[in-house]
Amino acid sequence: MTDRVPTVLEALDCTADAALKQLPGTRPALHRSFTVRPAKRPFAKNVILARLSVQHLAAIGECLEPIILKERMVLQEPKRQVEYVYFIETGLVSLRVVAAGSMLEMAVIGYRGVVGASFLWGGHLSTHQSVVVFPGSAHRIRVEDLRRVMKVHPEVREGLFEYVQAVTFQCVQTGLCGVRHHREQRLASWLCLASEAVDTRVLPVTHDYLSSVLGLRRAGVTETLLRFEEQGLIRKMRGVLQIDEPKLLEEKACCCYKLVSGAYACSSARTLSEEQAS
């Protein structure tokens, strides 16, 4: 049975009725719930959902299912059918390439993104493994339901495409980073990107984890983190790392950090008012 969390999508007003009527299979009970509440903007922690207009959020919201993300929970496996798309609300998901018993992390996904959007290219099988690193919550939707929504509301597809461009860029940049940049730069870059992805300076990570996802020797990771701590950039506690000086840590990161961070910022640039005006 799926673990559930309270939904963050509050009921919408009757202006969403048209969106629901356009979708086949809309449940009458839920439709009525959209008409009895005063007009208000629904609250969504996921950036992609939050950017949608009230009409488009009403269309997709009928199919969303809240779910708890537990640590080490596998959302997708490579070469397996993509059944769900996950809109991450809290927590962190690691996007990995797995081959011949080895693993390399290509991207981290937090509240700004989704897991499972590869179906947009027409593929039915996942190319990556997606694993929950920090526990949290998400809203998921079946791929067939999302296809149906996007057919009626192409603006939803456009929003997803913008995000997919950013996460694809991160995957490509990570490959380059792994062969061109040294250990200190890569560690600083990962910490900065992970902190942005979950919007907190406290990261529940261990030396072993950082060593495995970055393909670095554990002793080297420990040495670098000790140096960061001596410089006052971070503080290490049992199973937790706290970033005390994010700006100074960013200066230690390679250029990949700013490039990837900028790509996500561009994908989230359109404001709600721009979306409603379009």
Side-chain angles (χ1 to χ4, degrees), residues 157-185:
R157 177 187 291 272
E158 292 171 9
L160 284 171
F161 264 126
E162 290 175 2
Y163 166 74
V164 168
Q165 287 177 330
V167 76
T168 300
F169 178 78
Q170 183 177 4
C171 290
V172 173
Q173 197 68 30
T174 297
L176 174 66
C177 186
V179 297
R180 291 291 180 88
H181 300 139
H182 59 73
R183 181 179 65 214
E184 180 178 281
Q185 291 177 314

Side-chain angles (χ1 to χ4, degrees), residues 136-207:
S137 62
H139 279 79
R140 71 180 185 181
I141 182 173
R142 290 187 178 276
V143 168
E144 57 266 30
D145 289 334
L146 185 53
R147 288 186 193 276
R148 181 165 49 88
V149 171
M150 293 190 304
K151 186 175 181 179
V152 179
H153 302 281
E155 295 85 355
V156 175
R157 177 187 291 272
E158 292 171 9
L160 284 171
F161 264 126
E162 290 175 2
Y163 166 74
V164 168
Q165 287 177 330
V167 76
T168 300
F169 178 78
Q170 183 177 4
C171 290
V172 173
Q173 197 68 30
T174 297
L176 174 66
C177 186
V179 297
R180 291 291 180 88
H181 300 139
H182 59 73
R183 181 179 65 214
E184 180 178 281
Q185 291 177 314
R186 294 176 63 200
L187 268 171
S189 183
W190 190 95
L191 293 174
C192 290
L193 287 172
S195 177
E196 283 189 5
V198 294
D199 195 26
T200 180
R201 296 183 184 181
V202 180
L203 306 174
V205 292
T206 63
H207 296 197

Side-chain angles (χ1 to χ4, degrees), residues 94-153:
S94 172
L95 199 64
R96 306 168 175 182
V97 172
V98 181
S102 299
M103 177 271 290
L104 182 65
E105 182 179 84
M106 302 303 294
V108 287
I109 301 174
Y111 75 102
R112 297 178 297 185
V114 300
V115 174
S118 58
F119 81 95
L120 289 169
W121 287 294
H124 299 285
L125 301 180
S126 174
T127 57
H128 296 80
Q129 182 187 62
S130 301
V131 181
V132 177
V133 181
F134 305 164
S137 62
H139 279 79
R140 71 180 185 181
I141 182 173
R142 290 187 178 276
V143 168
E144 57 266 30
D145 289 334
L146 185 53
R147 288 186 193 276
R148 181 165 49 88
V149 171
M150 293 190 304
K151 186 175 181 179
V152 179
H153 302 281

Side-chain angles (χ1 to χ4, degrees), residues 14-278:
C14 59
T15 59
D17 288 1
L20 291 171
K21 289 177 181 177
Q22 291 181 55
L23 245 75
T26 302
R27 291 186 293 231
L30 185 63
H31 177 80
R32 286 194 298 271
S33 72
F34 285 111
T35 64
V36 297
R37 295 285 297 276
K40 72 189 308 184
R41 172 71 189 172
F43 174 71
K45 294 179 182 178
N46 180 271
V47 169
I48 296 173
L49 292 179
R51 282 176 47 198
L52 295 177
S53 67
V54 172
Q55 179 190 27
H56 299 142
L57 188 55
I60 196 173
E62 197 274 335
C63 305
L64 289 174
E65 174 189 9
I67 181 173
I68 288 176
L69 302 179
K70 296 182 178 180
E71 186 178 358
R72 299 183 183 179
M73 182 177 177
V74 179
L75 302 183
Q76 292 180 330
E77 287 280 18
K79 299 181 181 179
R80 297 284 182 86
Q81 186 82 20
V82 178
E83 297 183 0
Y84 291 96
V85 173
Y86 297 81
F87 292 85
I88 307 302
E89 296 276 316
T90 60
L92 190 71
V93 177
S94 172
L95 199 64
R96 306 168 175 182
V97 172
V98 181
S102 299
M103 177 271 290
L104 182 65
E105 182 179 84
M106 302 303 294
V108 287
I109 301 174
Y111 75 102
R112 297 178 297 185
V114 300
V115 174
S118 58
F119 81 95
L120 289 169
W121 287 294
H124 299 285
L125 301 180
S126 174
T127 57
H128 296 80
Q129 182 187 62
S130 301
V131 181
V132 177
V133 181
F134 305 164
S137 62
H139 279 79
R140 71 180 185 181
I141 182 173
R142 290 187 178 276
V143 168
E144 57 266 30
D145 289 334
L146 185 53
R147 288 186 193 276
R148 181 165 49 88
V149 171
M150 293 190 304
K151 186 175 181 179
V152 179
H153 302 281
E155 295 85 355
V156 175
R157 177 187 291 272
E158 292 171 9
L160 284 171
F161 264 126
E162 290 175 2
Y163 166 74
V164 168
Q165 287 177 330
V167 76
T168 300
F169 178 78
Q170 183 177 4
C171 290
V172 173
Q173 197 68 30
T174 297
L176 174 66
C177 186
V179 297
R180 291 291 180 88
H181 300 139
H182 59 73
R183 181 179 65 214
E184 180 178 281
Q185 291 177 314
R186 294 176 63 200
L187 268 171
S189 183
W190 190 95
L191 293 174
C192 290
L193 287 172
S195 177
E196 283 189 5
V198 294
D199 195 26
T200 180
R201 296 183 184 181
V202 180
L203 306 174
V205 292
T206 63
H207 296 197
D208 284 334
Y209 177 79
L210 292 172
S211 172
S212 64
V213 296
L214 293 174
L216 298 171
R217 292 175 55 250
R218 189 188 187 284
V221 170
T222 299
E223 177 186 335
T224 303
L225 292 180
L226 282 173
R227 188 156 57 247
F228 286 168
E229 192 166 26
E230 290 169 357
Q231 296 168 350
L233 307 182
I234 65 170
R235 262 185 295 167
K236 295 191 285 83
M237 295 163 273
R238 188 176 183 85
V240 175
L241 184 151
Q242 178 171 315
I243 301 174
D244 288 334
E245 295 291 345
K247 294 298 182 183
L248 295 179
L249 188 63
E250 289 174 14
E251 294 177 4
K252 295 285 185 181
C254 56
C255 61
C256 298
Y257 161 66
K258 288 187 177 179
L259 290 171
V260 172
S261 180
Y264 281 113
C266 288
S267 74
S268 304
R270 283 188 302 164
T271 62
L272 173 61
S273 60
E274 289 173 329
E275 186 76 30
Q276 290 176 325
S278 61

